[in-house]
CSV table of all heavy atoms in Angstrom, one decimal:
chain,number,residue,atom,x,y,z
M,139,ASP,N,-30.8,41.0,159.1
M,139,ASP,CA,-29.4,40.6,159.4
M,139,ASP,C,-28.8,41.4,160.5
M,139,ASP,O,-28.1,40.8,161.4
M,139,ASP,CB,-28.6,40.8,158.1
M,139,ASP,CG,-28.9,39.8,157.0
M,139,ASP,OD1,-29.6,38.8,157.3
M,139,ASP,OD2,-28.5,40.1,155.9
M,140,LEU,N,-29.2,42.6,160.6
M,140,LEU,CA,-28.7,43.5,161.7
M,140,LEU,C,-29.1,43.0,163.0
M,140,LEU,O,-28.4,42.9,164.0
M,140,LEU,CB,-29.1,45.0,161.4
M,140,LEU,CG,-28.7,46.0,162.5
M,140,LEU,CD1,-27.2,46.2,162.5
M,140,LEU,CD2,-29.5,47.3,162.3
M,141,ILE,N,-30.4,42.7,163.1
M,141,ILE,CA,-31.0,42.1,164.4
M,141,ILE,C,-30.3,40.8,164.7
M,141,ILE,O,-29.9,40.6,165.9
M,141,ILE,CB,-32.5,42.0,164.3
M,141,ILE,CG1,-33.2,43.3,164.1
M,141,ILE,CG2,-33.1,41.3,165.5
M,141,ILE,CD1,-34.7,43.3,163.7
M,142,ASN,N,-30.1,40.0,163.7
M,142,ASN,CA,-29.5,38.6,164.0
M,142,ASN,C,-28.1,38.8,164.5
M,142,ASN,O,-27.6,38.2,165.4
M,142,ASN,CB,-29.6,37.8,162.8
M,142,ASN,CG,-30.9,37.1,162.6
M,142,ASN,OD1,-31.6,36.9,163.6
M,142,ASN,ND2,-31.3,36.9,161.3
M,143,GLN,N,-27.3,39.7,163.8
M,143,GLN,CA,-25.9,39.9,164.2
M,143,GLN,C,-25.8,40.6,165.5
M,143,GLN,O,-24.8,40.3,166.3
M,143,GLN,CB,-25.2,40.6,163.1
M,143,GLN,CG,-25.0,39.8,161.8
M,143,GLN,CD,-24.0,40.4,160.8
M,143,GLN,OE1,-23.1,41.0,161.2
M,143,GLN,NE2,-24.3,40.1,159.5
M,144,ALA,N,-26.7,41.5,165.8
M,144,ALA,CA,-26.6,42.2,167.1
M,144,ALA,C,-27.1,41.1,168.2
M,144,ALA,O,-26.6,41.2,169.4
M,144,ALA,CB,-27.5,43.4,167.2
M,145,GLY,N,-27.9,40.2,167.8
M,145,GLY,CA,-28.3,39.2,168.8
M,145,GLY,C,-29.4,39.6,169.8
M,145,GLY,O,-29.7,38.9,170.7
M,146,VAL,N,-30.0,40.8,169.5
M,146,VAL,CA,-31.0,41.3,170.4
M,146,VAL,C,-32.1,42.0,169.5
M,146,VAL,O,-31.8,42.4,168.4
M,146,VAL,CB,-30.5,42.4,171.4
M,146,VAL,CG1,-29.6,41.7,172.5
M,146,VAL,CG2,-29.7,43.4,170.6
M,147,PRO,N,-33.3,42.1,170.0
M,147,PRO,CA,-34.3,42.9,169.3
M,147,PRO,C,-33.9,44.3,169.4
M,147,PRO,O,-33.2,44.7,170.3
M,147,PRO,CB,-35.6,42.6,170.1
M,147,PRO,CG,-35.2,42.1,171.4
M,147,PRO,CD,-33.9,41.5,171.3
M,148,ILE,N,-34.4,45.1,168.4
M,148,ILE,CA,-34.0,46.5,168.2
M,148,ILE,C,-35.2,47.4,168.3
M,148,ILE,O,-36.2,47.2,167.5
M,148,ILE,CB,-33.2,46.7,166.9
M,148,ILE,CG1,-31.9,45.9,167.0
M,148,ILE,CG2,-33.0,48.2,166.6
M,148,ILE,CD1,-31.0,46.1,165.7
M,149,VAL,N,-35.2,48.3,169.3
M,149,VAL,CA,-36.4,49.3,169.3
M,149,VAL,C,-36.2,50.2,168.1
M,149,VAL,O,-35.1,50.5,167.7
M,149,VAL,CB,-36.4,50.1,170.6
M,149,VAL,CG1,-36.8,49.3,171.8
M,149,VAL,CG2,-35.2,50.9,170.8
M,150,GLY,N,-37.3,50.7,167.6
M,150,GLY,CA,-37.2,51.7,166.5
M,150,GLY,C,-38.4,52.5,166.3
M,150,GLY,O,-39.3,52.0,165.7
M,151,PRO,N,-38.4,53.7,166.8
M,151,PRO,CA,-39.4,54.7,166.4
M,151,PRO,C,-38.9,55.1,165.0
M,151,PRO,O,-37.8,54.9,164.6
M,151,PRO,CB,-39.3,55.8,167.4
M,151,PRO,CG,-37.9,55.8,167.8
M,151,PRO,CD,-37.4,54.3,167.8
M,152,SER,N,-39.8,55.8,164.3
M,152,SER,CA,-39.3,56.4,163.0
M,152,SER,C,-38.2,57.4,163.3
M,152,SER,O,-38.2,58.1,164.4
M,152,SER,CB,-40.5,57.2,162.4
M,152,SER,OG,-41.2,58.0,163.3
M,153,ALA,N,-37.2,57.4,162.4
M,153,ALA,CA,-35.9,58.1,162.7
M,153,ALA,C,-36.0,59.6,162.3
M,153,ALA,O,-35.1,60.1,161.6
M,153,ALA,CB,-34.8,57.4,162.0
M,154,ASN,N,-37.0,60.3,162.7
M,154,ASN,CA,-37.1,61.7,162.5
M,154,ASN,C,-37.1,62.5,163.8
M,154,ASN,O,-37.4,61.9,164.8
M,154,ASN,CB,-38.5,62.0,161.8
M,154,ASN,CG,-39.6,61.3,162.5
M,154,ASN,OD1,-39.8,60.1,162.4
M,154,ASN,ND2,-40.4,62.1,163.2
M,155,THR,N,-36.9,63.8,163.7
M,155,THR,CA,-37.1,64.6,164.9
M,155,THR,C,-38.6,64.5,165.2
M,155,THR,O,-39.4,64.6,164.2
M,155,THR,CB,-36.7,66.1,164.6
M,155,THR,OG1,-35.3,66.1,164.2
M,155,THR,CG2,-37.0,67.0,165.7
Side-chain angles (χ1 to χ4, degrees):
D139 292 345
L140 178 69
I141 296 168
N142 281 333
Q143 291 192 32
V146 286
I148 295 182
V149 292
S152 49
N154 51 285
T155 299

